[in-house]
């Protein structure tokens, strides 16, 4: 894909870190940062308040409130539409958001609708980041609602990738892996005597309707199947339930794995593209079915938290039995009858 005709849009803080990282790797991308908090924008090296940042006026974050976020983007729809109209040559808009928060999670549906209205000929890709199973009840609830929002407008979306936060120990590790993988996918092009992937081929692979998947194969394993299995296990992207796809893109190191052995591992319904390079082993599946296992785990985790909350008996006061001879006398001194209480208040307050 042509980087100058791509627009990477972050909705909220978590997505902003990834877009910032992609712009660090390749300044040819166009980046746009949309947020409700200036504090989220300040640490980003490539966010310029005069050029590529839209900050909802009069706001200071969403407090993880999706309803508040929905109101904010609707109130600012015209301004955001005007901003998007400044990118008329855009072929692909990649929208990134975390699903557990507020600003991005609540805005994703309306934002995609705005993009389709303003840039009707552009493809729309979504990268949505799921929370880990260690998150709290609100994170799970927001994620499920965001999932339904995304799926309700799937006819407006081309490629969608879901990121699994359970696959690494820290957010930084997840972000770095997502940044590297997306950049490799968008740069899958290659020219070789035995196979070429050009910008048009890359465009087809990366914008195929359905769920997308990026796999990085490690060198030196005994065979291709072992390499692919390990890549699937280590991938930070949510895995499809079935590895059938519309397009398969393969860009492998010269004199390494046999790409035709890779093709035997996947059912491809449209086209397979093969090329070679000197640095990386990348396999991209475009147009897979929407994965369901990870979101079902989030739903189960939410139900479990709700059950435990319902069974909770929260104690607010606990009286300790001192078991002393003076207990009765202390009780008599501590307790005021109604008349004594009234007299006490009358002495101190003028009602």
């Amino acid at each position: 894909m042509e980087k100058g005709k791509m627009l990477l849009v972050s909705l909220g803080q978590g997505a902003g870190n990834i877009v910032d990282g992609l712009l660090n790797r390749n300044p040819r991308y166009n980046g746009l940062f949309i947020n409700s908090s200036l504090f989220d924008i300040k640490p980003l090296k490539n966010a310029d308040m005069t050029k590529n940042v839209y900050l909802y006026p009069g706001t200071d974050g969403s407090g993880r409130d999706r309803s508040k976020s929905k109101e904010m983007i609707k109130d600012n729809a015209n301004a955001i539409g005007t901003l998007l109209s400044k990118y008329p040559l855009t072929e692909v808009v990649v929208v990134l958001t975390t699903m557990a928060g507020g600003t991005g999670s609540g805005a994703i549906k309306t934002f995609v609708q705005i993009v389709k209205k303003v840039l009707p000929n552009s493809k729309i890709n979504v990268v949505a980041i799921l929370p880990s199973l260690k998150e709290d009840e609100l994170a799970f609830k927001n994620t499920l609602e965001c999932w339904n929002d995304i799926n309700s407008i799937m006819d407006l979306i081309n490629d969608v990738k879901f990121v699994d936060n359970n696959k690494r120990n820290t957010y930084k590790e997840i972000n770095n892996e997502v940044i590297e993988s997306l950049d490799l996918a968008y740069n899958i092009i290659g020219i070789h005597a035995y196979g070429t992937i050009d910008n048009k081929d890359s465009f087809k692979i990366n914008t195929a309707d359905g769920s997308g998947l990026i796999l990085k194969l490690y060198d030196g394993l005994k065979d291709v199947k072992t390499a692919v299995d390990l890549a699937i296990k280590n991938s930070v992207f949510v895995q499809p339930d079935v590895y059938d796809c519309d397009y398969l893109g393969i860009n492998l190191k010269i004199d390494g794995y046999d790409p035709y052995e890779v093709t035997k591992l996947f059912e491809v319904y449209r086209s397979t593209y093969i090329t070679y390079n000197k640095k990386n082993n990348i396999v991209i599946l475009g147009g897979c079915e929407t994965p369901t296992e990870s979101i079902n785990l989030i739903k189960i985790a939410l139900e479990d938290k709700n059950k435990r909350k319902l069974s909770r008996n929260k104690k607010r006061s606990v009286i300790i039995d001192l078991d002393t001879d003076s207990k009765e006398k202390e009780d008599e001194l501590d307790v005021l009858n109604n008349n004594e209480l009234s007299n006490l208040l009358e002495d101190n307050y003028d009602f």
Side-chain angles (χ1 to χ4, degrees):
M1 294 194 292
E2 293 185 50
K3 308 304 171 296
K5 294 183 178 179
M6 295 180 64
L7 177 60
L8 312 179
V9 184
S10 69
L11 302 178
Q13 180 184 20
N17 294 326
I18 295 176
V19 170
D20 193 48
L22 283 165
L23 293 174
N24 284 336
R25 288 181 70 95
N26 195 329
R28 289 183 297 162
Y29 294 120
N30 295 302
L32 184 59
F33 301 88
I34 298 177
N35 212 307
S36 59
S37 173
L38 179 61
F39 291 103
D40 294 346
I41 297 295
K42 282 186 174 181
L44 306 179
K45 296 179 181 178
N46 298 284
D48 186 334
M49 293 296 296
T50 65
K51 294 181 179 179
N52 62 356
V53 173
Y54 186 83
L55 193 65
Y56 296 136
T59 62
D60 185 22
S62 65
R64 298 170 69 194
D65 186 337
R66 295 185 77 253
S67 298
K68 185 177 180 180
S69 176
K70 287 175 181 288
E71 292 176 5
M72 288 190 292
I73 193 167
K74 287 178 180 178
D75 290 342
N76 291 270
N78 288 333
I80 291 173
T82 301
L83 185 59
L84 290 171
S85 68
K86 296 179 181 179
Y87 301 89
L89 300 180
T90 299
E91 292 182 345
V92 182
V93 179
V94 183
V95 189
L96 297 95
T97 183
T98 57
M99 301 177 71
T103 300
S105 177
I108 180 70
K109 180 175 181 177
T110 302
F111 182 77
V112 168
Q113 292 171 325
I114 294 171
V115 172
K116 203 62 182 178
K117 183 71 174 178
V118 178
L119 302 171
N121 296 321
S122 297
K123 301 287 187 179
I124 300 176
N125 288 3
V126 169
V127 179
I129 305 165
L130 280 80
S132 77
L133 294 174
K134 297 177 183 178
E135 295 283 353
D136 58 25
E137 177 187 357
L138 181 58
F140 297 152
K141 182 176 180 292
N142 283 351
T143 298
L144 294 175
E145 291 178 357
C146 183
W147 173 276
N148 288 339
D149 277 355
I150 292 172
N151 279 269
S152 70
I153 53 166
M154 202 63 87
D155 59 320
L156 304 181
I157 298 170
N158 298 97
D159 175 84
V160 58
K161 292 179 176 68
F162 295 99
V163 177
D164 185 354
N165 253 316
N166 294 290
K167 299 301 285 290
R168 296 293 185 275
N169 293 322
T170 66
Y171 290 130
K172 184 177 181 180
E173 290 177 301
I174 288 286
N175 288 347
N176 289 340
E177 188 73 22
V178 172
I179 290 165
E180 181 185 9
S181 296
L182 289 176
D183 190 53
L184 288 170
Y186 300 151
N187 287 281
I188 196 176
I189 60 173
I191 300 174
H192 192 271
Y194 296 108
T196 295
I197 298 178
D198 59 24
N199 278 321
K200 290 183 179 179
D201 301 329
S202 174
F203 183 85
K204 287 181 181 179
I205 298 165
N206 282 290
T207 64
D209 294 348
S211 177
L213 181 62
I214 306 165
L215 300 174
K216 295 193 305 177
L217 277 58
Y218 297 96
D219 292 328
L221 298 176
K222 64 179 182 179
D223 55 41
V224 167
K225 186 177 185 309
T226 301
V228 169
D229 287 345
L230 183 60
I232 288 173
K233 180 180 179 181
N234 288 334
S235 174
V236 295
F237 295 97
V238 174
Q239 300 298 301
D241 302 326
V242 180
Y243 288 89
D244 296 351
C245 59
D246 290 329
Y247 296 99
L248 181 65
I250 304 171
N251 191 342
L252 302 180
K253 292 172 69 172
I254 300 169
D255 300 326
Y257 297 116
D258 183 350
Y260 295 98
E261 291 298 315
V262 176
T263 63
K264 295 177 183 178
L265 302 175
F266 304 101
E267 184 75 33
V268 182
Y269 291 100
R270 292 194 176 181
S271 296
T272 298
Y273 302 91
I274 296 173
T275 193
Y276 302 85
N277 72 92
K278 296 180 180 180
K279 294 182 178 180
N280 302 289
N281 296 307
I282 301 299
V283 176
I284 303 176
L285 284 70
C288 300
E289 292 183 2
T290 300
T292 58
E293 182 178 352
S294 290
I295 197 64
N296 283 332
L297 290 176
I298 296 290
K299 185 174 183 292
I300 292 170
L302 177 60
E303 291 171 347
D304 180 61
K305 283 187 176 293
N306 285 335
K307 287 179 182 177
R308 282 187 282 147
K309 184 171 69 174
L310 289 173
S311 64
R312 179 188 183 197
N313 182 18
K314 182 169 67 175
K315 296 179 180 180
R316 295 195 59 205
S317 63
V318 179
I319 304 299
I320 304 300
D321 186 359
L322 299 178
D323 194 23
T324 65
D325 295 337
S326 61
K327 181 176 181 301
E328 283 188 26
K329 188 173 183 180
E330 287 181 0
D331 286 346
E332 290 175 1
L333 290 173
D334 285 345
V335 177
L336 296 174
N337 60 42
N338 288 336
N339 289 334
E340 290 173 324
L341 181 61
S342 296
N343 291 334
L344 177 65
L345 292 175
E346 288 174 1
D347 288 341
N348 291 280
Y349 298 95
D350 183 16
F351 291 102

